[in-house]
């Protein structure tokens, strides 16, 4: 297990180590977290990324999921859920609330409907 506060070092480590799980603190890149998620997945396509943050808005989380993240966990309750989260994501499951799943489905539908109009 390794921890990085420098996004370039983290990106290089992901490319070199190809970790199975990456916990990405939203505070590291803020509004650019979705874009950074894509960069991490380009460096390590098999990695599962879970976004960690403090009460993120639904749109922020959905953007990260659309970029390839496998889940979101509020940092305030991370200690309570971390073991279950790791097992679930390692088993190929998403780590999202039902409300976030509904919002994600809405976003996918809107994206798909927009492509239909073209």
């Amino acid at each position: 297990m390794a921890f990085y506060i420098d996004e370039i070092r983290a990106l290089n480590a992901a490319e070199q180590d190809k970790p199975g799980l990456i916990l990405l603190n939203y505070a590291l890149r803020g509004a650019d977290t979705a874009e950074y998620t894509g960069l991490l997945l380009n460096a390590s396509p098999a990695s599962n990324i879970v976004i960690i943050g403090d009460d993120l808005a639904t749109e922020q989380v959905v953007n990260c999921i659309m970029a390839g993240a496998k889940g979101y966990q509020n940092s305030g309750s991370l200690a309570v859920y971390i073991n279950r989260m790791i097992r679930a994501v390692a088993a190929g499951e998403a780590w999202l609330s039902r409300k976030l799943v509904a919002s994600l489905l809405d976003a996918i539908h809107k994206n798909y409907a927009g492509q239909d109009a073209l």
Side-chain angles (χ1 to χ4, degrees):
M1 184 181 302
F3 298 91
Y4 299 95
I5 57 172
D6 176 276
E7 65 242 36
I8 300 303
R9 288 185 68 208
L11 189 59
N12 289 335
E15 187 171 35
Q16 181 179 13
D17 300 339
K18 309 286 191 220
L21 178 64
I22 297 173
L23 301 181
L24 177 55
N25 189 333
Y26 190 86
L28 180 67
R29 293 293 304 253
D32 295 329
T33 301
E35 179 184 348
Y36 188 67
T37 298
L39 291 173
L40 284 169
L41 287 172
N42 284 337
S44 182
S47 293
N48 294 302
I49 298 174
V50 176
I51 306 300
I52 308 297
D54 293 328
D55 299 319
L56 297 182
T58 299
E59 183 179 345
Q60 293 168 312
V61 177
V62 167
N63 288 340
C64 293
I65 301 301
M66 295 289 283
K70 294 289 195 296
Y72 165 72
Q73 177 60 53
N74 187 297
S75 58
S77 55
L78 179 61
V80 173
Y81 292 107
I82 192 161
N83 290 330
R84 285 179 42 203
M85 179 188 70
I86 290 169
R87 283 193 300 273
V89 173
E93 298 175 23
W95 187 257
L96 296 168
S97 69
R98 288 183 175 125
K99 181 179 178 184
L100 278 170
V101 170
S103 296
L104 179 61
L105 291 172
D106 288 343
I108 292 168
H109 179 354
K110 287 177 188 173
N111 192 19
Y112 180 75
Q115 290 178 353
D116 247 4
L118 297 176

